[in-house]
Amino acid sequence: MKNYVTYYRVSTKKQANSGLGLEAQRTIVENFLKGSRNNIISEFIEVETGKSANRTELNKALQRCKENNAVLIVAKLDRLARNLHFVTSLQAANIDFICCDMPTANRLTIHIIAAIAENKAQLISLRTKQALVEKKKQGIKLGNPYNNGLTSETINKGREVRKENALNNESNKKAGMLILPMQNNGSKWSEMVKQLNDNGFRTRRNCLFDVTAVKRLFKRYVNLF
């Protein structure tokens, strides 16, 4: 019986924190596998845009597949990438993968669909750029309105104040004390994320911790121990 490695991706931290997109993908995969759900040996979650080919978690998933002769499974093809070169490279790696939304698709059809998806992404990007040019012609000021009138000096000063506040935050201190021994013992970032969230810790914006937030906490605070 085949073993499976699941890969889930969302594009933004907001989507990751809500968990809705990830749960929807997980449900699709589990419904697809049905009686084979117990054959999932690993799960990898990525927060990255579809156009990016730099995927740390996907690379880990592919390595896990190689080591265990497992099949990579995703809910939808666009969870892999909208980059044709990326999909081609994935195929060349000689790893079997399944897209639940196209279970009967072969390497040729996936290649064609990926090419169409890449072209669609490029058209969206082009239309967005053209729209911004037209807005600029109309005299509409683009960019973040909250930065209007701010110099780089004041922006940097504000960043330092936020950093200092984070360092003085009692919750951050307790979170740092919790993950420090885990880091020293070689625990994975994902394990630290689970530990913090399971113990009720939240970021300063009251969101669940993800890998990026834990790394930021470690960089800002834990290294000072």
Side-chain angles (χ1 to χ4, degrees), residues 26-164:
R26 190 176 285 113
T27 298
I28 291 172
V29 169
E30 291 182 352
N31 288 341
F32 177 82
L33 291 177
K34 294 181 180 177
S36 301
R37 284 179 291 185
N38 291 334
N39 293 84
I40 298 176
I41 60 174
S42 294
E43 175 183 294
F44 293 87
I45 297 173
E46 192 108 59
V47 181
E48 184 59 82
T49 64
K51 293 185 288 185
S52 173
N54 183 22
R55 309 272 196 85
T56 303
E57 294 305 310
L58 180 56
N59 290 336
K60 292 179 182 178
L62 295 176
Q63 184 61 35
R64 183 74 167 152
C65 288
K66 288 181 180 179
E67 294 171 349
N68 296 272
N69 194 28
V71 177
L72 180 70
I73 184 166
V74 297
K76 298 180 179 180
L77 175 61
D78 65 359
R79 295 302 92 188
L80 284 176
R82 296 190 184 98
N83 184 295
L84 178 58
H85 174 72
F86 179 79
V87 173
T88 302
S89 299
L90 179 66
Q91 293 173 322
N94 229 3
I95 293 175
D96 288 332
F97 62 91
I98 296 175
C99 302
C100 295
D101 58 338
M102 288 177 290
T104 60
N106 55 37
R107 289 178 180 266
L108 175 61
T109 55
I110 287 178
H111 189 94
I112 294 172
I113 293 169
I116 294 173
E118 181 185 53
N119 183 63
K120 181 179 179 182
Q122 291 173 345
L123 289 176
I124 292 173
S125 177
L126 178 61
R127 286 197 295 267
T128 301
K129 290 177 181 178
Q130 290 173 338
L132 291 175
V133 169
E134 291 302 318
K135 291 291 184 183
K136 197 170 183 179
K137 286 181 181 179
Q138 296 170 16
I140 297 175
K141 194 168 185 178
L142 304 177
N144 188 344
Y146 296 105
N147 285 344
N148 288 346
L150 295 180
T151 64
S152 59
E153 182 179 354
T154 54
I155 292 173
N156 290 332
K157 184 176 181 179
R159 188 179 295 117
E160 288 301 317
V161 170
R162 289 193 296 273
K163 182 178 179 181
E164 184 177 351

Side-chain angles (χ1 to χ4, degrees), residues 2-3 9 11 34 36 47 55-56 78 88 92-93 120 122 140 155-156 172 174 177 179 183 192 196 202 214 216 220:
K2 292 182 179 179
N3 289 325
R9 180 185 67 79
S11 300
K34 294 181 180 177
S36 301
V47 181
R55 309 272 196 85
T56 303
D78 65 359
T88 302
K120 181 179 179 182
Q122 291 173 345
I140 297 175
I155 292 173
N156 290 332
N172 280 359
K174 292 178 181 179
M177 293 291 288
I179 66 173
Q183 173 71 10
M192 297 183 208
L196 290 177
R202 296 295 181 265
V214 172
R216 185 182 298 117
R220 284 182 175 177

